[in-house]
């Protein structure tokens, strides 16, 4: 049932766009067009073709980044393996490895690589946020809040940090705190951010605010709204954790 609720939330709040324009014959032009259109499937094919012609670390990293953007973290790890065997692992590789292991639920491996990335770039807000999410998985909410607050110092993106702080509040069952954080984002321009909307839906359900939930979930039928609202309201903390942090990602398309 948790998977069903998660899929409904994603179908309601996930916004995206993919372009089919793949460009002409010039490789640089083709790559730029595919990147601007966020056509990651064709980017993957493009980078694979380049690697068949000649192994190149930068091209391999671009391939891995495309898999990460597509959400295929198992394939990202597969292509990361040669880079992870090197004696010196650069920041970007550690970051991609940490992000990928985090998204397949291998938290200890994620912390290993994210910790290395943090040592290489202590002021990276992205790494601090990922470390905070890893801490949430481990139940270390105090440390997670510290990470997110520290990330806020090093970035202008209040949306990411406040949403992550709200995530901690949800997992600690501090729903009014989460509501204040999320509504401050939602009513100042984040109405279309799927993370904010999904977390706010959970908070409204937990607080029993059916009217606010219905306004947020207009994309669902009345029957779906009733079902999701009831399930979220009665969901155990462990299951809430699975929804807000996400399920293990098993998809692979090497």
């Amino acid at each position: 049932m948790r998977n069903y609720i998660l899929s409904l939330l994603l179908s309601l709040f996930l916004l995206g766009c993919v372009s089919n324009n793949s460009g002409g014959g010039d490789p640089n032009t083709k790559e730029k067009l595919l990147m601007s259109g966020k056509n990651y499937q064709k980017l993957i094919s493009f980078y694979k073709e380049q690697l068949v012609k000649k192994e190149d670390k930068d091209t391999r990293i671009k391939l891995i980044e495309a898999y990460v953007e597509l959400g295929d973290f198992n394939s990202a790890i597969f292509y990361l393996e040669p880079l992870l065997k090197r004696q010196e692992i650069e920041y970007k590789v550690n970051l991609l490895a940490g992000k990928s292991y985090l998204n397949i639920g291998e938290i200890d491996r994620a912390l290993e690589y994210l910790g290395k990335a943090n040592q290489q770039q202590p002021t990276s807000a992205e790494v601090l946020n990922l470390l905070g999410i890893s801490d949430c998985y481990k139940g270390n909410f105090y440390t997670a809040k510290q990470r997110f607050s520290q990330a806020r110092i090093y970035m202008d993106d209040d949306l990411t940090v406040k949403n992550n702080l709200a995530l901690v509040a949800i997992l600690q069952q501090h729903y009014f705190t989460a509501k204040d954080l999320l509504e401050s984002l939602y009513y100042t321009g984040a109405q279309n951010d799927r993370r904010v909307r999904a977390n706010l839906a959970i908070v409204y359900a937990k607080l029993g605010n059916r009217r606010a939930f219905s306004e947020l979930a207009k994309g669902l039928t009345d029957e779906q709204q009733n079902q999701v609202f009831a399930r979220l309201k009665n969901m155990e903390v462990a299951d809430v954790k699975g929804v807000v942090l996400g399920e293990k990602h098993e998809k692979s398309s090497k």
Side-chain angles (χ1 to χ4, degrees), residues 45-56 59:
S45 298
F46 174 77
Y47 292 135
K48 281 183 176 180
E49 290 172 6
Q50 302 300 309
L51 287 173
V52 168
K53 296 175 184 176
K54 180 183 178 182
E55 174 61 37
D56 178 75
T59 302

Side-chain angles (χ1 to χ4, degrees), residues 1-253:
M1 180 55 70
R2 185 203 303 172
N3 288 333
Y4 173 69
I5 298 298
L6 181 60
S7 65
L8 274 181
L9 284 174
L10 290 177
S11 67
L12 176 60
F13 301 129
L14 182 59
L15 303 172
C17 161
V18 177
S19 168
N20 288 322
N21 189 348
S22 60
D26 179 65
N28 291 329
T29 301
K30 182 177 182 180
E31 181 182 9
K32 288 177 182 177
L33 284 170
L34 291 174
M35 289 181 69
S36 66
K38 298 184 179 180
N39 195 328
Y40 299 115
Q41 286 284 12
K42 290 191 176 182
L43 272 170
I44 286 168
S45 298
F46 174 77
Y47 292 135
K48 281 183 176 180
E49 290 172 6
Q50 302 300 309
L51 287 173
V52 168
K53 296 175 184 176
K54 180 183 178 182
E55 174 61 37
D56 178 75
K57 182 192 69 174
D58 291 337
T59 302
R60 179 174 287 270
I61 289 174
K62 288 179 181 180
L63 172 64
I64 294 161
E65 288 175 328
Y67 273 123
V68 168
E69 290 293 341
L70 192 64
D72 186 349
F73 300 102
N74 284 301
S75 292
I77 290 168
F78 178 81
Y79 287 100
L80 270 164
E81 285 178 356
L83 301 178
L84 296 176
K85 291 175 181 177
R86 296 188 175 193
Q87 190 170 3
E88 295 291 332
I89 303 176
E90 63 184 83
Y91 163 78
K92 184 175 285 189
V93 173
N94 279 321
L95 171 60
L96 289 168
K99 186 182 294 186
S100 298
Y101 278 115
L102 175 60
N103 277 279
I104 65 168
E106 293 193 26
I107 309 306
D108 290 334
R109 295 292 298 276
L111 285 168
E112 175 188 348
Y113 290 108
L114 290 172
K116 292 177 180 177
N118 182 239
Q119 288 178 348
Q120 290 167 320
Q121 291 196 21
T123 61
S124 169
E126 181 176 10
V127 172
L128 287 166
N129 273 306
L130 291 170
L131 282 168
I133 292 170
S134 301
D135 289 327
C136 286
Y137 271 106
K138 303 284 279 187
N140 300 326
F141 301 126
Y142 177 76
T143 305
K145 286 179 71 173
Q146 286 185 312
R147 305 264 203 203
F148 294 144
S149 296
Q150 192 177 3
R152 195 174 187 181
I153 297 172
Y154 299 125
M155 71 189 305
D156 295 324
D157 184 10
D158 262 10
L159 189 153
T160 298
V161 176
K162 282 187 176 180
N163 187 68
N164 285 338
L165 289 170
L167 181 150
V168 174
I170 290 170
L171 295 177
Q172 292 181 302
Q173 302 180 67
H174 299 165
Y175 299 120
F176 284 105
T177 299
K179 175 178 174 289
D180 289 343
L181 285 164
L182 292 167
E183 285 187 341
S184 73
L185 294 171
Y186 185 79
Y187 291 113
T188 55
Q191 289 92 340
N192 291 326
D193 187 276
R194 68 179 182 87
R195 300 163 301 172
V196 172
R197 291 169 62 85
N199 286 339
L200 199 50
I202 294 168
V203 168
Y204 285 150
K206 285 297 183 182
L207 292 175
N209 193 335
R210 184 68 172 82
R211 180 179 296 180
F213 179 88
S214 297
E215 184 67 24
L216 194 68
K218 287 180 178 177
L220 300 179
T221 65
D222 289 343
E223 182 181 353
Q224 288 175 326
Q225 284 187 22
N226 290 334
Q227 190 173 20
V228 174
F229 183 83
R231 291 291 178 180
L232 289 176
K233 183 175 175 60
N234 297 315
M235 191 173 281
E236 298 292 333
V237 175
D239 291 326
V240 171
K241 182 178 178 181
V243 172
V244 297
L245 291 175
E247 301 290 337
K248 292 182 182 180
H249 206 299
E250 302 296 340
K251 181 173 72 171
S252 179
S253 61

